[in-house]
Amino acid sequence: MKVTPDTLSDPYHATDAWGDTTLDALFRQTARLHPTRMALVDAPDRADWTGGDSRSLTYQEAEREIDRLAAFYRAIGLTTDHVIGVQSPNTVDTVIAIMAALRAGLIVSTLPLHWRQKNVLEALNSVGAKGFVAADRIETRNVGAAARDVAADLFSLRFVFGLGKDIPDGLIELGPMLAEMGDDLTFDEGERDKAADHVATISWTRTGSETVPVPRCHNHWISSARQCVHEAGLKHGERILVPYSLSGLTGIGAGLVPWLLVGGTLHLHHPTSLLQLSRHANAIGADYVLTPGPLTQILDKKLVQESTTIAAAWNVAAPKPGTFTPQHKVVDLHIADEFALVAKARGPSARVQATPLGKQAGPNGCESGPALLEVAVNKDDNGPHALLRVKGPMVPDIGWHTHTGAHTHHRDQEGFLNTGIPVEQSEDGLKGFGIPGMQANGVGDLEALDEIYSAYPGVSEAAAFLVEDEVLGARLYAALVPVSGNVPDAKAFFAYLDADGVDLAKIPYRVLVLQALPRNNDGTVDRERLTLRTQRLPAAVA
């Protein structure tokens, strides 16, 4: 299925920004040339946060598993362009499940790990998913049991697969079943016109309270990853460490697909602490480590291999990048939600480079190369900030044919996608994508959270706001104004959110109880004052 019109894709092919190679073809090429090279390696602490023992596979071994699973998908009736959801942490099994789905011509809908059953059900229903792959558990959450309940409520979902060790009844346990079948299943690939232009994945973005599908074809992903590979100077066969889940632009575009492009070794990691990440990177001699931008300076001091490159991901909710003199090469990845990314290596000054407006440099590092992204802004009619607009080979088309919800993202007459992301400008360009304090990572518009928090019994009004954190960059807080004569209980408030199935990214770190919310002159909530009050008066926080 192709969703990008020929009026866009034809010029991309003409400039060589797009090609004819799929993500699966990249993998098969390395498997053919370097069969004994290590392809996938689990984190050594895998058993601490999901079921199953740590595994490692060479390209030859991974190729066999991918081929068998692709054949199994096809044998049970999952056919080309069927959507299959995946909610599983970073393991070898997860990557095999994704790559096998791509080989079988399925469309993989990667779901954020913090989503609860209600969010998963809504998303899979909106894209008409036919299958679902879920881990047995993610840390203490029983994701497999939740997947079984999703299947009971979703008529279109025909197959639910389990990964891990303790798979609940009602799920098809993939690992043992494929092991029993051995090499009896082989995949017979058919021809597909312009296969790389067909949709490979559906990820998700939020606008206010909406959950909007973002389909990306193979060429969209490769265009995004080429920026990262070029700026990081990744060489063929290098070791890549990815702590981001494979559920969006950061984990896939800056982690999984760069691994496919360079035919390296992908080391999977589940983030539990910065110390654990640095130990993992040092133990494997990582050449490329993907990490949240706010942690860059701390991680830089802990890495022992001088040649390691740190890819620092700055999302729309991150604080402004600081300036320091790193001991390692640092590449800043400015992530515009699920719409686009810009990779910029820091120069000798160690200062984060601004993103200039206009066309970004091509993958060969010169202006003559194909532009993978073009950046522009427009004035926000409802606010004081400029809003980000993007277009080019890496920018997807938003929405899905079975998704009935309306969304605000659309292309203007110049072909730019309006992201709705507020940005700050400088003389050199944009300081980053997003303005600190205005959006929460994985949540989007803070105003959408106000309604959720204010629905708690005994609260007259509420507001979400962000407080800077030296480790996470920003933490989500909630300010509650009680009904006269009522005193909200913080523990009961958290229990209410949990019982209502609110996804984990929307649950605040702490609660602040006030007599009234501070307001701007236009009547909107003054979230900056809430942030300042909390940072100055920590004792007032429940």
Side-chain angles (χ1 to χ4, degrees):
M1 178 181 296
K2 293 190 289 186
V3 297
T4 303
D6 292 342
T7 53
L8 289 178
S9 62
D10 286 349
Y12 297 159
H13 280 286
T15 60
D16 291 329
W18 279 20
D20 299 322
T21 304
T22 64
L23 300 177
D24 178 54
L26 290 172
F27 179 86
R28 283 188 283 120
Q29 178 179 343
T30 305
R32 184 175 64 254
L33 297 175
H34 305 280
T36 60
R37 176 180 293 169
M38 197 59 66
L40 297 165
V41 183
D42 270 328
D45 63 342
R46 166 178 167 160
D48 293 342
W49 38 265
T50 197
D53 298 325
S54 297
R55 305 175 66 209
S56 59
L57 298 175
T58 64
Y59 272 90
Q60 186 177 57
E61 293 166 337
E63 165 65 19
R64 290 198 196 102
E65 290 201 13
I66 290 169
D67 204 63
R68 279 205 304 264
L69 185 51
F72 172 75
Y73 286 149
R74 186 66 59 85
I76 63 175
L78 290 171
T79 59
T80 302
D81 292 332
H82 276 167
V83 177
I84 182 170
V86 175
Q87 189 180 38
S88 184
N90 286 4
T91 65
V92 168
D93 304 329
T94 302
V95 177
I96 294 296
I98 291 173
M99 295 303 299
L102 295 178
R103 178 167 297 186
L106 307 181
I107 297 170
V108 181
S109 177
T110 53
L111 305 174
L113 298 186
H114 61 75
W115 276 12
R116 307 280 281 274
Q117 180 179 330
K118 180 172 67 175
N119 310 104
V120 172
L121 179 61
E122 292 174 352
L124 295 183
N125 184 49
S126 70
V127 295
K130 303 297 183 185
F132 184 26
V133 178
D136 55 353
R137 66 178 175 91
I138 302 175
E139 297 181 3
T140 59
R141 292 172 53 218
N142 194 335
V143 182
R148 179 188 58 199
D149 295 339
V150 167
D153 293 332
L154 186 55
F155 178 75
S156 68
L157 203 60
R158 296 164 55 188
F159 306 102
V160 184
F161 310 104
L163 298 176
K165 187 176 182 180
D166 300 314
I167 309 298
D169 292 339
L171 273 65
I172 302 172
E173 197 169 356
L174 281 181
M177 183 201 60
L178 290 175
E180 290 176 7
M181 292 183 176
D183 295 325
D184 292 340
L185 282 176
T186 56
F187 182 72
D188 183 16
E189 184 179 15
E191 293 293 327
R192 200 176 195 188
D193 180 53
K194 292 186 176 180
D197 290 5
H198 288 260
V199 176
T201 67
I202 300 174
S203 51
W204 300 86
T205 185
R206 286 186 179 278
T207 302
S209 59
E210 293 180 78
T211 301
V212 180
V214 181
R216 261 195 167 82
C217 72
H218 300 260
N219 274 316
H220 283 133
W221 281 121
I222 292 172
S223 296
S224 301
R226 285 165 73 184
Q227 275 217 0
C228 303
V229 170
H230 164 69
E231 288 294 316
L234 273 174
K235 299 180 178 62
H236 196 77
E238 291 196 320
R239 297 173 294 274
I240 296 174
L241 179 59
V242 177
Y244 279 85
S245 66
L246 307 178
S247 61
L249 186 54
T250 308
I252 299 177
L256 182 72
V257 184
W259 161 65
L260 292 171
L261 283 173
V262 302
T265 301
L266 182 64
H267 291 264
L268 288 313
H269 183 93
H270 181 74
T272 55
S273 71
L274 180 62
L275 179 61
Q276 195 74 359
L277 178 62
S278 61
R279 284 176 175 172
H280 195 174
N282 290 331
I284 65 173
D287 298 299
Y288 174 95
V289 181
L290 188 59
T291 190
L295 303 184
T296 305
Q297 187 169 358
I298 306 174
L299 182 63
D300 177 65
K301 295 177 181 178
K302 294 182 178 294
L303 296 178
V304 296
Q305 182 170 294
E306 293 183 1
S307 61
T308 301
T309 295
I310 301 174
W314 303 91
N315 59 49
V316 296
K320 296 177 182 178
T323 299
F324 72 101
T325 303
Q327 302 172 23
H328 301 83
K329 181 177 181 179
V330 174
V331 176
D332 293 296
L333 306 177
H334 300 288
I335 312 292
D337 199 356
E338 290 299 313
F339 308 115
L341 66 81
V342 170
K344 292 286 184 183
R346 296 198 188 185
S349 68
R351 184 172 62 88
V352 177
Q353 295 188 44
T355 299
L357 298 179
K359 295 181 178 180
Q360 305 302 301
N364 59 6
C366 63
E367 294 182 359
S368 61
L372 301 175
L373 178 68
E374 186 172 353
V375 175
V377 297
N378 63 358
K379 182 69 173 62
D380 181 5
D381 295 333
N382 299 315
H385 303 290
L387 299 179
L388 179 68
R389 302 157 64 218
V390 291
K391 71 176 179 179
M394 74 166 66
V395 180
D397 292 282
I398 310 302
W400 191 244
H401 66 100
T402 60
H403 181 73
T404 57
H407 62 84
T408 58
H409 306 298
H410 62 276
R411 291 187 183 269
D412 58 26
Q413 293 181 345
E414 299 177 78
F416 283 97
L417 181 73
N418 291 291
T419 69
I421 298 173
V423 289
E424 290 183 294
Q425 294 181 264
S426 65
E427 293 182 358
D428 300 327
L430 304 181
K431 296 181 179 179
F433 297 153
I435 297 177
M438 294 190 66
Q439 291 181 306
N441 189 37
V443 174
D445 193 344
L446 294 178
E447 291 183 1
L449 295 183
D450 298 350
E451 298 181 13
I452 295 175
Y453 298 160
S454 60
Y456 178 60
V459 169
S460 62
E461 58 179 351
F465 63 101
L466 299 174
V467 175
E468 288 188 10
D469 181 271
E470 62 180 5
V471 176
L472 296 180
R475 288 189 184 271
L476 181 65
Y477 280 59
L480 307 180
V481 177
V483 174
S484 179
N486 185 61
V487 179
D489 181 272
K491 291 183 179 180
F493 174 71
F494 288 122
Y496 162 81
L497 296 179
D498 184 62
D500 197 44
V502 172
D503 81 56
L504 300 180
K506 293 182 178 180
I507 296 179
Y509 176 62
R510 287 184 178 175
V511 175
L512 185 70
V513 179
L514 300 175
Q515 293 182 341
L517 297 177
R519 300 281 178 178
N520 297 308
N521 292 335
D522 60 1
T524 58
V525 176
D526 189 338
R527 301 181 201 274
E528 185 174 352
R529 284 177 61 189
L530 286 172
T531 297
L532 291 173
R533 177 189 177 99
T534 304
Q535 291 178 162
R536 292 173 181 173
L537 300 174
V541 180

